[in-house]
Amino acid sequence: MLTNKLINRLGNWFWAGPAHPVERVLRDGDEVAGFRVVHAPGHTPGHVMFFRESDRLVIAGDVLANLNFLTGKPGLREPPPFFSADVALNRRSIQKLIELKPSIVCFGHGYPLRESSALEQFVARWDP
C-alpha cells in the first residue's frame, strides 16, 4: 500500500514545477504585504496562512478547501488524508483559523467563505 509520504512525493513530481530558490524564510508572526504569517502545519510541515487584521481576511491556502472535488459544488472539506502530512496537526491548524475570527477566508481550492460560523459548524461535526 502506498504511504502518504510516497503519494505526496509522486504528486510533487507530477504536478510541481521546477524548484525556486528560497529568498526569505517566513516565520509565524512575520509580516508580508500587510498580512501576518500564521504557521498552520498539517497539510504540509511548513504550511502557512496569511491574516490581515484590518478587514479580517485570511488566505488559508490548503488547510481546508471550499469545494467538493468531484461535483465542483461549494462545501468545506479537509484535504484528503493522502494529501496531508499530518491530519491531526492540520485539524489544529483549522482551529487556529477559527480563532482568527475571519470575515473572509480564501482557500487554495474553492470559493471564498464569508460566513465564519460555517467554520465552527464544520468542526462541530468532527467525531469527539
Side-chain angles (χ1 to χ4, degrees), residues 9 20 30 32 40 43 49 69 72 76 93 98 111 124 127:
R9 281 189 189 157
H20 184 79
D30 284 354
V32 176
H43 174 60
M49 299 182 288
F69 292 107
L76 292 172
S93 292
I98 292 170
Y111 307 91
D127 292 328

Side-chain angles (χ1 to χ4, degrees), residues 12-126:
N12 283 339
W13 175 79
F14 184 73
W15 287 303
H20 184 79
V22 174
E23 294 178 17
R24 175 182 173 197
V25 175
L26 298 177
R27 306 257 186 249
D28 192 56
D30 284 354
E31 185 178 316
V32 176
F35 286 85
R36 177 169 46 99
V37 175
V38 179
H39 188 225
H43 174 60
T44 60
H47 189 275
V48 296
M49 299 182 288
F50 297 92
F51 176 63
R52 187 168 58 201
E53 183 77 40
S54 63
D55 56 1
R56 311 207 64 76
L57 171 71
V58 177
I59 300 171
D62 290 340
V63 71
L64 282 172
N66 194 20
L67 176 76
N68 182 310
F69 292 107
L70 297 176
T71 66
K73 293 182 181 179
L76 292 172
R77 304 272 185 282
E78 293 178 76
F82 49 86
F83 283 127
S84 279
D86 186 326
V87 173
L89 189 55
N90 194 68
R91 284 190 166 190
R92 289 195 291 276
S93 292
I94 294 168
Q95 291 288 351
K96 281 185 184 182
L97 171 61
I98 292 170
E99 290 167 9
L100 293 171
K101 302 204 181 301
S103 61
I104 301 172
V105 183
C106 297
F107 303 97
H109 305 277
Y111 307 91
L113 180 71
R114 292 177 177 8
E115 304 150 18
S116 62
S117 63
L119 294 168
E120 294 170 5
Q121 291 168 5
F122 177 76
V123 170
R125 293 191 303 253
W126 290 346

